[in-house]
Amino acid sequence: MFSPRAQALHERWLSLRTEGGTMLPTWKTIRINNLANILSEIWVMDYVAPNAMIVRFVGSNAERICGNTTGEDFLNTYIAAENRAALLDIYKTVHEARCSAILTRMVSDPSEPYRAIISTVFPLAGDGPDSWSLIGISEITNAAQASDQTGYDFEHTALAPPVYKDIGFGLPDQAHQCENTNAYVKKREGY
């Protein structure tokens, strides 16, 4: 189940796909049609081979969570080295399977009440033949809400397995889901 803001993005994503008659909307389509009430909440990243995700856009409210990272390589600047390949694999799965993913990461110190960032990610077509992008919305929530969203206990881990959602094209195969789940979930060690 998507949060209300993620559901609004999903509905707009679906309408843009339908309007353009394409498999996936593009960022240009998103900008032209404007997301009005949630544009300030979203972010967009472009894949740059072989292993970079360059931030193209961060809405003003999204900056409260991730800062103004426009133009930066999100994976290689903000993600721990041991998690980069697995997270890139999840992003590639979202694009290749044309599905959505809900990613949940604990962000509070283990001695504080748990807080989590829940990011909901959707695929976008790229500007060229071998390019692709992602659009997403990230929200900060408490751990109880995060556990309700993912069904996951965060007592010993900082990252929950990705939850893939069918958005009209099906889901990735189970073997692939298990592979990147095992790589992505790490033991929780104070951070």
Side-chain angles (χ1 to χ4, degrees):
M1 173 172 263
F2 294 124
S3 72
R5 287 190 285 179
Q7 182 63 36
L9 177 57
H10 177 236
E11 289 169 6
R12 191 65 182 137
W13 182 92
L14 284 172
S15 71
L16 291 170
R17 193 181 124 227
T18 304
E19 287 172 18
T22 60
M23 292 290 282
L24 296 174
T26 65
W27 174 234
K28 183 176 180 181
T29 306
I30 299 266
R31 299 222 29 186
I32 289 170
N33 289 288
N34 203 344
L35 291 166
N37 62 337
I38 61 169
L39 189 63
S40 66
E41 309 289 335
I42 66 169
W43 47 262
V44 176
M45 292 190 295
D46 298 324
Y47 171 71
V48 177
N51 62 355
M53 293 299 297
I54 305 300
V55 178
R56 179 186 284 210
F57 174 82
V58 179
S60 58
N61 289 338
E63 284 183 14
R64 290 179 300 167
I65 295 174
C66 58
N68 185 356
T69 56
T70 303
E72 295 184 38
D73 179 353
F74 176 76
L75 281 178
N76 295 301
T77 304
Y78 297 98
I79 302 300
E82 66 269 12
N83 292 332
R84 289 178 192 149
L87 187 55
L88 181 59
D89 189 52
I90 291 167
Y91 290 160
K92 284 181 178 179
T93 299
V94 166
H95 172 70
E96 292 167 2
R98 290 168 170 38
C99 64
S100 179
I102 299 173
L103 305 173
T104 305
R105 178 172 65 95
M106 296 309 299
V107 293
S108 60
D109 183 279
S111 65
E112 298 175 357
Y114 290 143
R115 290 179 309 137
I117 294 177
I118 298 177
S119 297
T120 306
V121 182
F122 298 91
L124 293 175
D127 294 331
D130 294 323
S131 67
W132 51 272
S133 302
L134 298 174
I135 187 169
I137 192 163
S138 296
E139 305 170 80
I140 294 180
T141 187
N142 67 43
Q145 290 171 319
S147 293
D148 289 347
Q149 284 269 338
T150 64
Y152 197 73
D153 173 17
F154 290 101
E155 187 173 344
H156 302 293
T157 63
L159 303 169
V163 176
Y164 293 103
K165 299 286 186 182
D166 184 350
I167 53 176
F169 299 99
L171 291 169
D173 63 64
Q174 288 293 331
H176 190 78
Q177 287 186 44
C178 290
E179 177 185 317
N180 63 34
T181 294
N182 291 335
Y184 185 64
V185 177
K186 305 290 182 190
K187 286 195 179 246
R188 183 177 174 91
E189 299 170 3
Y191 48 100

